[in-house]
Amino acid sequence: MKKTTFVLTIFLTLISNAQPTDNSPDSTSHIQLLRQKITTYDDPYVFVIAHRGCTANAPENSIKAITDCIELGVDMVELDVRKTADGVLILMHDDTLERTTNGQGKVSDYSYDELTQLALKTKFGGENAPITGERIPTFEQAMLVAKDKILVNLDAKADVFNDAFNVLKRTDTQDHILMKKWLKPSDTALSLQTPFNQVLSMPVLAHPKAYQSKNYFSAIDYRAQLETHPIAAEFIFDSLDFAYQISQLARQNGVRSWLNSLTGWTSAGLGDAQALKNPDAVWGMFLAMGFSMIQTDHPKQLLNYLKKMKCEHLPNCKRHLTSMQFDR
């Protein structure tokens, strides 16, 4: 506990000393500023990523979930993408329709035109979730909404990466995307794979005991992947020891560490529910370890927590928070 408190104190000092960034209309574009920060490991900026969009008042993976994130000031939205029967890329997490829509059956059995007749259920859906007026969007529609306003993390639910890259080229949003792919220690680095080497990309590196995989990799097993210097790496783990070890390896190689707060199964049982009760014990602890990208189902609360941390160390905090996009 003393070590964590000491490291958290150092982190707070770093974030409180971060210089305000010019975000005026004549300066570098919003997307370019975010890209500069994400590719600069020493920048203490903490990225807030909304899981399937901002779902407090919108269905997951909907256009409204994206626009709500833009209005909130979230840095990045994570979107799930899969393909319809006629090859259209849409936003949809599950391979079936029941949880999130008023339809039934497999997504891959329907054409896009057929799917446009369905309505999305509110928030994360479920059997009794109310139906909304929101429709299933295409990936292209989502990227056009996000353009110039927010970064997008592509969570592909099948091998749709090349098709997704074609959408990015068509919408001129290649610089808005962060692609990711699950890798084992022996897999080829993303920097040598197409189309990952043409956009910002990161590996997903797992400590798979969390979901009873036969493969059980230690932090050291992933050293070679981190030594290829991706801009970031998403870590899934059921052990805080692994989290600490892998985040230190990432730090040594100048790689940003991505945390999935969420329900806790991807982060040693410490998720959003615990963070909302005691943010220092969850978000604060992982920030102290060196995690600088946090995906959450509660982006507003995480943003407020980061602002509060900065306010405690910055005399003119209120002035900065109202005038500087990046000075949380």
Side-chain angles (χ1 to χ4, degrees):
M1 181 59 70
K2 289 183 178 178
K3 179 185 289 187
T4 301
T5 302
F6 173 72
V7 178
L8 181 56
T9 300
I10 294 176
F11 170 79
L12 291 172
T13 302
L14 286 172
I15 197 171
S16 67
N17 289 334
Q19 294 299 311
T21 303
D22 183 7
N23 196 37
S24 64
D26 295 330
S27 66
T28 306
S29 75
H30 180 67
I31 293 301
Q32 291 307 311
L33 285 171
L34 287 171
R35 284 175 60 90
Q36 287 174 12
K37 288 181 174 295
I38 202 172
T39 56
T40 305
Y41 175 76
D42 292 337
D43 192 314
Y45 188 73
V46 176
F47 279 80
V48 175
I49 303 102
H51 180 230
R52 306 180 196 171
C54 292
T55 55
N57 299 295
E60 68 172 57
N61 285 311
S62 67
I63 294 299
K64 179 171 172 51
I66 300 171
T67 57
D68 282 0
C69 281
I70 293 169
E71 291 176 7
L72 188 60
V74 171
D75 304 304
M76 185 182 300
V77 59
E78 182 255 12
L79 301 175
D80 302 296
V81 178
R82 61 174 65 249
K83 192 179 293 188
T84 66
D86 52 342
V88 178
L89 296 187
I90 61 168
L91 303 192
M92 181 69 61
H93 180 274
D94 300 359
D95 60 358
T96 56
L97 295 164
E98 284 82 353
R99 179 177 65 85
T100 58
T101 79
N102 59 351
Q104 294 182 330
K106 290 187 175 181
V107 175
S108 58
D109 289 341
Y110 291 84
S111 70
Y112 175 65
D113 284 344
E114 291 172 325
L115 290 175
T116 59
Q117 305 307 307
L118 303 179
L120 292 170
K121 295 180 180 179
T122 190
K123 301 185 179 182
F124 291 105
E127 183 177 358
N128 299 315
I131 302 298
T132 73
E134 291 286 311
R135 303 292 174 174
I136 300 172
T138 66
F139 179 55
E140 183 164 344
Q141 289 169 344
M143 292 310 303
L144 289 173
V145 170
K147 191 171 184 178
D148 299 326
K149 298 179 178 70
I150 194 169
L151 293 176
V152 174
N153 175 229
L154 170 64
D155 192 347
K157 296 306 176 185
D159 188 4
V160 299
F161 297 111
N162 287 323
D163 290 334
F165 185 67
N166 288 334
V167 170
L168 299 177
K169 290 192 292 184
R170 192 158 60 243
T171 56
D172 193 24
T173 54
Q174 299 99 311
D175 59 349
H176 289 54
I177 204 77
L178 176 60
M179 282 191 182
K180 65 185 175 187
K181 184 179 181 181
W182 289 65
L183 293 184
K184 296 177 182 178
S186 59
D187 287 339
T188 302
L190 292 184
S191 59
L192 299 176
Q193 295 187 41
T194 303
F196 301 95
N197 56 4
Q198 300 177 66
V199 294
L200 294 180
S201 63
M202 70 176 182
V204 181
L205 308 178
H207 187 237
K209 187 178 179 182
Y211 47 94
Q212 300 179 341
S213 169
K214 294 180 180 179
N215 298 315
Y216 190 89
F217 302 119
S218 69
I220 297 299
D221 291 329
Y222 287 119
R223 182 191 294 274
Q225 287 289 353
L226 294 173
E227 287 177 344
T228 65
H229 305 292
I231 61 110
E234 179 177 328
F235 300 126
I236 294 177
F237 51 88
D238 63 355
S239 160
L240 290 180
D241 286 340
F242 176 89
Y244 180 77
Q245 293 164 11
I246 199 74
S247 63
Q248 299 315 297
L249 281 174
R251 186 197 301 268
Q252 292 166 17
N253 287 281
V255 178
R256 282 185 176 267
S257 294
W258 171 301
L259 170 76
N260 293 312
S261 184
L262 310 179
T263 61
W265 79 265
T266 56
S267 52
L270 297 174
D272 285 343
Q274 293 81 5
L276 294 178
K277 295 176 182 177
N278 189 347
D280 286 337
V282 181
W283 292 330
M285 181 189 67
F286 285 117
L287 289 169
M289 282 188 190
F291 286 85
S292 61
M293 304 182 76
I294 301 179
Q295 180 176 207
T296 176
D297 288 326
H298 298 276
K300 182 176 181 179
Q301 288 81 352
L302 177 54
L303 284 167
N304 288 338
Y305 175 64
L306 294 172
K307 290 176 180 178
K308 179 177 178 292
M309 287 201 317
K310 185 146 183 89
C311 282
E312 290 174 349
H313 294 78
L314 193 66
N316 296 321
C317 180
K318 291 183 179 179
R319 177 179 63 81
H320 286 298
L321 288 176
T322 56
S323 62
M324 298 298 179
Q325 169 72 21
F326 292 100
D327 194 32
R328 293 217 240 274

